[in-house]
Amino acid sequence: MLEPAEKDWRKKWYHIIFESDTPAGRRFDVLLLIAILSSLLVIMLESVPKLRAQYQEQFVMLEWFFTVLFSIEYLVRLAIVKRPITYVWSFYGIIDLVSTLPSYLAMVLGGAQYFIVIRSLRLLRVFRVLKMVRFIGEANVLGTALRASRHKIAVFLIAVICINFIMGTVMYLVEGPENGFKSIPVSIYWCIVTLTTVGYGDISPATPLGQFIASVIMIMGYGVIAVPTGIVTSEITRSQSKEESSNSKSCSNCNAEGLPMQAKYCQHCGAEL
Amino acid sequence: MLEPAEKDWRKKWYHIIFESDTPAGRRFDVLLLIAILSSLLVIMLESVPKLRAQYQEQFVMLEWFFTVLFSIEYLVRLAIVKRPITYVWSFYGIIDLVSTLPSYLAMVLGGAQYFIVIRSLRLLRVFRVLKMVRFIGEANVLGTALRASRHKIAVFLIAVICINFIMGTVMYLVEGPENGFKSIPVSIYWCIVTLTTVGYGDISPATPLGQFIASVIMIMGYGVIAVPTGIVTSEITRSQSKEESSNSKSCSNCNAEGLPMQAKYCQHCGAEL
Amino acid sequence: MLEPAEKDWRKKWYHIIFESDTPAGRRFDVLLLIAILSSLLVIMLESVPKLRAQYQEQFVMLEWFFTVLFSIEYLVRLAIVKRPITYVWSFYGIIDLVSTLPSYLAMVLGGAQYFIVIRSLRLLRVFRVLKMVRFIGEANVLGTALRASRHKIAVFLIAVICINFIMGTVMYLVEGPENGFKSIPVSIYWCIVTLTTVGYGDISPATPLGQFIASVIMIMGYGVIAVPTGIVTSEITRSQSKEESSNSKSCSNCNAEGLPMQAKYCQHCGAEL
Amino acid sequence: MLEPAEKDWRKKWYHIIFESDTPAGRRFDVLLLIAILSSLLVIMLESVPKLRAQYQEQFVMLEWFFTVLFSIEYLVRLAIVKRPITYVWSFYGIIDLVSTLPSYLAMVLGGAQYFIVIRSLRLLRVFRVLKMVRFIGEANVLGTALRASRHKIAVFLIAVICINFIMGTVMYLVEGPENGFKSIPVSIYWCIVTLTTVGYGDISPATPLGQFIASVIMIMGYGVIAVPTGIVTSEITRSQSKEESSNSKSCSNCNAEGLPMQAKYCQHCGAEL
């Protein structure tokens, strides 16, 4: 059992590190975000050949500095939080761990340090600094919309995949390896590139027939790209209108619905609400 | 006339092979899906030059294994189902046949085996494994939406085709064969590539005037791509709201159905609900 | 003044040529469409170098055949219609003329024959063959939607053009002629290619700063491409809901609106309609 | 204190230069627009190498002509307007200044003259010539829609940026420098190019695994591009419906405003309307 002083000390730091509604807490989170961003910047710049050639050791040093920093932060969080286990298995807890481990792994096996980019997930902390609640609200609208439309999206995706399989094979037969359609997987890749209107141009039909089929695929791509947009849009519209209608009265006299909250009388029958 | 034992045997297998609401039936369908997917994988890998060079005979063997497997499955289905004819001409029946025949044809004429990719249509069976009903419902929403908007889409497509014809010819005259616009068909192909915002870059305008016209086409492409999206979106929104309003009251007096939930009186007989 | 026989003769042919609700009229229009399509096909194929080299004179012959055919058709239309002037200045009248003249001009000045592709506008006649009325209805929905949103589109376009001007110049300064951004017009062209997500790749940023700016432009392009879609979609939704609400009753007793046409009693107050 | 004559003179010119509801004012604005456009044209053409080589001094002359012209215009505006300070710091005031200064700076330091393209912002004056009010209204609808959806967009953008970071790094590890993915920043750039469906093709995956990941990113890009569209669309729909509902009743009893058209009783005081 801890003596009060210690407990206060803990509580104080808990507010600073885990919450952001106090000025101190906000300041801490902002500093943390800056640290995260600069650590990401270091990793990115390190991957640029000429910069690596020049500033090799500086990068390594900075890399270690941030790793140690985040490790300390993680341990402090563990020390301060009431139930460490729940934190460890929480969304942010896992990200915090996963984004610090790799640089230790990097000593053992090479390349692993790149996975530090998972650290970019820590940017999600930005939501805590900004007015958390509101943003979560917005995110929920998007989330529910996407969740509600997941079945339609699935139906749609399977259809798209079948189209890609068939069209990809057809193009492989029409164009053949000599025009860059080296194999069925490659021409399925090309078909996806076309249907999503990305169109790299690394592979493109050369025969008249191939170009005709490609044109058909593109025109199809039109309608195809319209479908997910339509699904998501209608879902967002609905989840929004629900959110709005959820703050509206209904009249007990004439059962009229969707009356504004500030209404004192029903606009249809005049009855007092 | 069959003795009961035989009939039971049939019924049991019918449930396993044709239905997927029993655990056994579901297990069968899952195995079938895995078989289909792996047969598709074989065909795809077979088309990769270096793999074909190395594992030629393995591929052929696997290919034959799956063909025989699916042939047996098809015959079993024929044997078990009550009315074989209706099955043969059913949607799945045709697909099942068409996806097994090619490899037999492949012996006679080359290349035919590629059409086995029609087998990818069998992936649609995935809907049987997943909660069929719900997905079919979702698919219906999409289906009705697309069906309802087919006239608008047609109007739209014909307009797009006319634009492509005219713009394609204009670009052919402006850029000419020396800049890759070899012929009118080719520059119509380019025009579709541009209007659908695919933009391979295999052909791209080189003259200032050509680039100006291209810019106009692209800006147009904006509005153009907005139209089908708009059509489909509004249709989906509608077909969804219809589906929702379809959970409605019925009148106890005149048995009228499909009355809106907030209705207080039957709109047909005026009786209070 | 014409004797009846002649008048009947005229009326009969008027029905055949100008209308398509009679079997004869439909047959005529279908034949006409086939003629138009095949004449377009001839022009397209003629532009393919190797085909022109081989079938030069056949193409010219066919070209003349169709020109004469359409000229005759035009004259017949003039002869049969009651008010030739009104036909000449009508939408179809102008197209019919403009799509036959060029080949005569082609004798004088070369290249002119390509404008015969204006003939593709004649494809609009397809709407006469298909169930005219319904399609016109659909077209109207689209038309009104686009007309209603023309101001927003204008606001949007001017904004986009300004963005393109400024970003184009910035990229010209950043990348410079050595990376393909030869001049401001060219890099404005590039900016449009990017913002519309066409992305040919004939010009693409090479410097890190250029690539960063390009990324910003693309992310912007996201929001940007969302705007016209949003505008058109909401307009279509509205013009459709209007169309629907236009066939709905309202209750004279409780002023409830949007009651289905077949309703005999108000669902809110039970009053007879 | 000014004698009336002078004041009238001022007022008259104020109406001409600052307003566009009088014929004279509109004429002035149109001329101004033409001047702006032609000055932009000069800058653009000047940047074309061969034109600059040929017409160097003419361009410089024209450049100076427009600079002087706009400087005079700016001074006149200052002289005529009642509160010069408020004009100087107004939106148009700043643009007018910023779009004339650069050519003076250009004498000191090179390249600066390109920033004259900020002058393109002056094109916004076009809204004054067109029916200002209506367009501002339309712009407001778009503005409010975008403002209302800014939080969702933010959520969305941060998510997209995280995806790009992670996917970019993954592709860097998979494809490596030998396939054009020179560094993490470059492959993040590639990832943005792909996710936004721009697809230049200056960098494109070469390894099978890379192509597979790319395909996944593109399919994701589908859903991703659907989200902002959905957000903006639903916002536009709402802000429009609001605008429409804003043509509403007011209560003669309690002077409450913004009552829906179909309301029969005031929702605040219950009085019959």
Side-chain angles (χ1 to χ4, degrees):
Chain A
M1 186 251 153
L2 316 152
E3 65 274 8
E6 222 252 88
K7 262 174 69 186
D8 298 356
W9 172 83
R10 268 188 145 196
K11 191 178 275 88
K12 187 164 127 293
W13 278 97
Y14 181 86
H15 283 308
I16 292 173
I17 294 179
F18 278 88
E19 284 158 21
S20 60
D21 38 17
T22 62
R26 165 160 284 122
R27 220 175 298 112
F28 174 84
D29 280 340
V30 171
L31 285 172
L32 186 58
L33 271 176
I34 293 165
I36 294 167
L37 281 170
S38 38
S39 73
L40 288 174
L41 198 67
V42 169
I43 298 163
M44 282 171 57
L45 297 177
E46 193 179 358
S47 73
V48 181
K50 72 164 78 71
L51 290 178
R52 183 168 52 236
Q54 214 167 342
Y55 305 104
Q56 178 65 350
E57 59 282 351
Q58 286 91 322
F59 281 134
V60 175
M61 264 167 51
L62 280 168
E63 187 44 55
W64 276 112
F65 167 72
F66 284 118
T67 310
V68 172
L69 191 74
F70 292 137
S71 313
I72 293 166
E73 181 217 344
Y74 186 72
L75 296 174
V76 172
R77 283 181 185 274
L78 276 183
I80 282 170
V81 75
K82 273 206 195 55
R83 294 185 208 61
I85 305 307
T86 50
Y87 165 68
V88 168
W89 293 114
S90 71
F91 175 65
Y92 282 121
I94 291 163
I95 290 176
D96 293 348
L97 184 61
V98 174
S99 61
T100 45
L101 277 188
S103 26
Y104 294 109
L105 290 174
M107 290 188 288
V108 189
L109 38 103
Q113 76 268 18
Y114 292 127
F115 291 106
I116 303 175
V117 170
I118 294 164
R119 193 172 283 165
S120 62
L121 279 175
R122 297 197 74 185
L123 287 173
L124 294 172
R125 285 192 179 282
V126 75
F127 291 127
R128 321 197 81 174
V129 185
L130 307 165
K131 256 181 229 55
M132 194 65 177
V133 200
R134 158 190 267 142
F135 273 91
I136 288 301
E138 302 290 359
N140 284 346
V141 174
L142 291 186
T144 46
L146 293 175
R147 214 170 304 110
S149 52
R150 72 182 178 290
H151 293 305
K152 281 196 210 55
I153 297 278
V155 174
F156 167 75
L157 278 185
I158 293 173
V160 166
I161 287 163
C162 289
I163 292 174
N164 282 322
F165 262 76
I166 294 169
M167 284 308 191
T169 318
V170 171
M171 286 303 283
Y172 172 68
L173 295 173
V174 170
E175 290 282 328
E178 62 275 20
N179 295 329
F181 293 75
K182 285 196 235 64
S183 65
I184 291 181
V186 168
S187 49
I188 288 171
Y189 157 76
W190 170 85
C191 197
I192 294 171
V193 170
T194 303
L195 207 59
T196 53
T197 77
V198 172
Y200 285 127
D202 54 347
I203 310 166
S204 60
T207 64
L209 180 54
Q211 294 179 331
F212 176 75
I213 296 171
S215 308
V216 173
I217 296 176
M218 288 170 217
I219 300 281
M220 245 167 44
Y222 253 159
V224 167
I225 208 156
V227 173
T229 316
I231 294 168
V232 174
T233 306
S234 63
E235 285 304 338
I236 289 178
T237 318
R238 279 168 69 208
S239 56
Q240 246 173 351
S241 56
K242 266 184 203 145
E243 208 179 42
E244 277 161 3
S245 68
S246 70
N247 43 32
S248 77
K249 287 184 190 172
S250 70
C251 173
S252 53
N253 179 24
C254 70
N255 290 15
E257 299 194 334
L259 304 175
M261 284 315 273
Q262 76 279 9
K264 285 197 297 297
Y265 297 91
C266 172
Q267 57 190 218
H268 300 293
C269 65
E272 187 146 4
L273 298 174
Chain B
M1 186 250 153
L2 316 153
E3 64 274 8
E6 221 251 89
K7 262 174 71 187
D8 299 355
W9 173 82
R10 266 189 145 195
K11 192 180 272 87
K12 188 166 128 291
W13 278 97
Y14 181 86
H15 283 308
I16 292 173
I17 294 180
F18 279 89
E19 284 159 21
S20 61
D21 39 16
T22 62
R26 164 159 284 125
R27 220 175 300 113
F28 175 83
D29 280 338
V30 172
L31 285 173
L32 185 56
L33 271 176
I34 293 164
I36 294 167
L37 280 170
S38 39
S39 74
L40 288 173
L41 198 67
V42 168
I43 298 164
M44 282 171 57
L45 296 178
E46 193 181 356
S47 73
V48 182
K50 72 162 79 70
L51 290 178
R52 184 168 52 236
Q54 215 166 342
Y55 305 105
Q56 177 64 349
E57 59 283 353
Q58 286 89 323
F59 281 135
V60 174
M61 266 167 49
L62 279 168
E63 185 45 55
W64 276 111
F65 168 71
F66 285 118
T67 309
V68 172
L69 191 75
F70 292 137
S71 313
I72 293 167
E73 181 217 344
Y74 186 72
L75 296 175
V76 172
R77 282 179 185 277
L78 277 182
I80 282 171
V81 74
K82 274 205 195 55
R83 295 185 207 60
I85 304 307
T86 49
Y87 163 70
V88 168
W89 293 114
S90 71
F91 176 64
Y92 282 120
I94 291 164
I95 291 177
D96 293 347
L97 184 62
V98 174
S99 61
T100 46
L101 277 187
S103 26
Y104 295 109
L105 291 174
M107 291 187 291
V108 190
L109 36 103
Q113 77 271 16
Y114 293 127
F115 291 107
I116 302 176
V117 171
I118 295 164
R119 192 172 284 166
S120 62
L121 279 175
R122 298 197 74 186
L123 287 173
L124 294 172
R125 285 192 179 281
V126 75
F127 291 127
R128 321 197 83 176
V129 184
L130 306 165
K131 257 182 228 55
M132 194 64 177
V133 201
R134 157 188 267 144
F135 273 90
I136 288 301
E138 302 291 357
N140 283 347
V141 174
L142 291 186
T144 47
L146 293 174
R147 216 171 303 108
S149 51
R150 72 182 179 287
H151 293 305
K152 282 198 208 55
I153 296 280
V155 173
F156 167 77
L157 276 185
I158 292 173
V160 166
I161 287 163
C162 289
I163 292 175
N164 282 323
F165 263 78
I166 293 170
M167 283 309 192
T169 318
V170 171
M171 285 305 281
Y172 173 67
L173 296 173
V174 170
E175 290 282 328
E178 62 275 19
N179 296 328
F181 293 74
K182 286 197 234 64
S183 65
I184 291 181
V186 167
S187 49
I188 288 172
Y189 157 75
W190 170 86
C191 196
I192 293 171
V193 170
T194 303
L195 206 59
T196 53
T197 76
V198 172
Y200 286 126
D202 54 347
I203 310 168
S204 60
T207 64
L209 180 54
Q211 294 180 332
F212 176 74
I213 296 172
S215 308
V216 173
I217 295 176
M218 289 171 217
I219 300 281
M220 244 168 45
Y222 254 158
V224 167
I225 208 156
V227 173
T229 316
I231 295 168
V232 174
T233 307
S234 63
E235 285 304 336
I236 289 177
T237 319
R238 278 168 70 209
S239 56
Q240 246 172 353
S241 55
K242 267 186 202 142
E243 207 182 43
E244 277 159 3
S245 67
S246 71
N247 44 25
S248 57
K249 286 185 189 172
S250 69
C251 174
S252 52
N253 179 24
C254 71
N255 297 11
E257 302 212 326
L259 305 174
M261 286 314 275
Q262 76 278 10
K264 277 174 61 195
Y265 298 91
C266 172
Q267 58 189 218
H268 300 293
C269 65
E272 188 146 3
L273 297 174
Chain C
M1 186 250 154
L2 318 152
E3 64 275 6
E6 222 251 90
K7 262 175 70 187
D8 299 355
W9 171 83
R10 265 191 146 191
K11 190 178 273 89
K12 188 166 128 290
W13 279 97
Y14 181 87
H15 283 307
I16 293 172
I17 295 179
F18 280 89
E19 286 158 21
S20 61
D21 40 17
T22 62
R26 165 159 284 127
R27 222 175 296 111
F28 175 84
D29 279 339
V30 171
L31 285 173
L32 185 58
L33 271 176
I34 292 165
I36 295 168
L37 280 171
S38 39
S39 74
L40 287 174
L41 199 67
V42 169
I43 298 163
M44 280 172 56
L45 296 177
E46 192 182 357
S47 74
V48 181
K50 72 164 76 73
L51 290 177
R52 184 168 53 236
Q54 215 166 342
Y55 306 104
Q56 177 64 351
E57 58 282 353
Q58 287 89 321
F59 281 135
V60 174
M61 265 167 51
L62 280 168
E63 186 46 54
W64 275 111
F65 167 71
F66 284 118
T67 311
V68 171
L69 191 76
F70 292 137
S71 314
I72 293 166
E73 182 218 343
Y74 186 72
L75 296 174
V76 172
R77 283 179 184 277
L78 277 182
I80 282 171
V81 74
K82 274 207 195 57
R83 296 186 206 59
I85 304 307
T86 50
Y87 164 68
V88 169
W89 293 115
S90 72
F91 175 65
Y92 282 121
I94 291 165
I95 291 176
D96 293 347
L97 184 62
V98 173
S99 61
T100 46
L101 277 186
S103 26
Y104 295 109
L105 290 174
M107 290 189 292
V108 192
L109 38 104
Q113 76 270 17
Y114 292 127
F115 291 107
I116 302 175
V117 170
I118 295 164
R119 194 172 282 165
S120 63
L121 279 175
R122 298 196 74 186
L123 287 173
L124 294 173
R125 285 192 180 282
V126 74
F127 291 126
R128 322 197 82 177
V129 184
L130 306 164
K131 257 183 228 52
M132 193 66 176
V133 200
R134 157 187 269 144
F135 272 91
I136 288 301
E138 302 292 357
N140 283 347
V141 174
L142 291 186
T144 46
L146 293 174
R147 216 170 303 109
S149 53
R150 73 181 179 288
H151 293 306
K152 280 198 211 53
I153 296 279
V155 174
F156 167 76
L157 276 185
I158 293 174
V160 166
I161 287 163
C162 290
I163 291 173
N164 282 322
F165 262 78
I166 293 169
M167 282 309 191
T169 317
V170 171
M171 285 303 283
Y172 173 67
L173 296 174
V174 170
E175 290 283 328
E178 62 275 20
N179 296 328
F181 294 74
K182 285 197 233 65
S183 65
I184 291 180
V186 167
S187 50
I188 288 172
Y189 157 75
W190 170 86
C191 196
I192 293 171
V193 170
T194 303
L195 206 59
T196 54
T197 78
V198 171
Y200 285 127
D202 53 346
I203 309 167
S204 60
T207 63
L209 180 55
Q211 294 180 331
F212 176 75
I213 296 171
S215 308
V216 173
I217 295 176
M218 287 170 218
I219 299 282
M220 245 167 44
Y222 253 158
V224 167
I225 209 155
V227 173
T229 315
I231 295 168
V232 174
T233 305
S234 63
E235 286 303 338
I236 288 176
T237 319
R238 277 168 69 209
S239 56
Q240 246 173 352
S241 57
K242 266 184 203 142
E243 210 180 41
E244 277 161 4
S245 68
S246 69
N247 43 31
S248 78
K249 286 184 189 174
S250 71
C251 172
S252 54
N253 179 24
C254 70
N255 290 16
E257 298 195 333
L259 305 175
M261 282 317 270
Q262 77 279 8
K264 286 197 297 296
Y265 297 90
C266 172
Q267 58 190 214
H268 300 295
C269 65
E272 188 148 2
L273 297 175
Chain D
M1 185 250 155
L2 317 153
E3 65 273 6
E6 222 251 89
K7 262 175 68 189
D8 298 355
W9 172 83
R10 267 190 145 192
K11 190 179 274 86
K12 187 165 128 294
W13 278 97
Y14 181 86
H15 282 308
I16 293 173
I17 294 179
F18 279 88
E19 285 158 23
S20 62
D21 40 16
T22 63
R26 165 159 284 126
R27 222 175 297 111
F28 174 83
D29 280 339
V30 172
L31 285 172
L32 186 57
L33 270 176
I34 294 165
I36 294 166
L37 280 171
S38 39
S39 74
L40 288 175
L41 198 68
V42 169
I43 298 163
M44 282 171 56
L45 296 178
E46 192 179 359
S47 73
V48 182
K50 72 163 78 74
L51 290 178
R52 183 168 53 235
Q54 215 167 343
Y55 305 104
Q56 177 65 352
E57 59 282 351
Q58 286 89 322
F59 281 134
V60 175
M61 265 167 51
L62 280 168
E63 187 44 54
W64 276 110
F65 167 71
F66 284 117
T67 310
V68 173
L69 191 75
F70 292 137
S71 314
I72 293 167
E73 181 217 343
Y74 187 72
L75 296 173
V76 171
R77 283 180 184 276
L78 276 182
I80 281 170
V81 74
K82 273 206 194 56
R83 296 188 207 58
I85 305 308
T86 50
Y87 164 67
V88 169
W89 292 113
S90 71
F91 176 64
Y92 282 121
I94 291 163
I95 290 176
D96 293 348
L97 183 62
V98 173
S99 62
T100 46
L101 276 187
S103 26
Y104 295 109
L105 290 175
M107 291 188 290
V108 191
L109 38 105
Q113 75 270 18
Y114 292 127
F115 291 107
I116 303 175
V117 170
I118 295 165
R119 193 173 283 166
S120 63
L121 279 175
R122 297 197 75 187
L123 287 173
L124 294 172
R125 285 193 178 282
V126 74
F127 292 126
R128 321 197 82 176
V129 183
L130 306 166
K131 257 180 229 53
M132 194 65 175
V133 199
R134 159 189 266 143
F135 273 91
I136 288 301
E138 302 291 357
N140 284 347
V141 173
L142 291 186
T144 47
L146 293 174
R147 216 170 303 111
S149 52
R150 72 182 178 288
H151 292 306
K152 281 198 209 55
I153 297 279
V155 174
F156 167 76
L157 276 185
I158 293 173
V160 167
I161 287 164
C162 289
I163 292 174
N164 283 322
F165 263 77
I166 293 168
M167 284 308 193
T169 318
V170 171
M171 285 304 282
Y172 172 68
L173 296 174
V174 170
E175 289 284 327
E178 62 276 19
N179 294 328
F181 293 75
K182 286 196 235 64
S183 65
I184 290 181
V186 167
S187 50
I188 288 171
Y189 158 75
W190 170 86
C191 196
I192 293 171
V193 170
T194 302
L195 207 59
T196 53
T197 77
V198 171
Y200 285 127
D202 54 348
I203 310 166
S204 60
T207 64
L209 180 55
Q211 294 180 331
F212 175 74
I213 297 171
S215 308
V216 173
I217 296 176
M218 288 170 216
I219 299 281
M220 245 166 44
Y222 253 159
V224 168
I225 208 155
V227 173
T229 316
I231 295 167
V232 174
T233 306
S234 63
E235 286 303 337
I236 289 176
T237 318
R238 279 168 68 209
S239 56
Q240 246 173 351
S241 56
K242 267 184 202 143
E243 206 182 42
E244 277 160 3
S245 68
S246 71
N247 44 23
S248 57
K249 285 187 188 172
S250 68
C251 173
S252 53
N253 179 23
C254 70
N255 297 11
E257 303 211 325
L259 306 175
M261 285 315 272
Q262 77 277 9
K264 278 175 61 194
Y265 298 91
C266 171
Q267 58 190 212
H268 301 294
C269 65
E272 188 147 4
L273 297 175

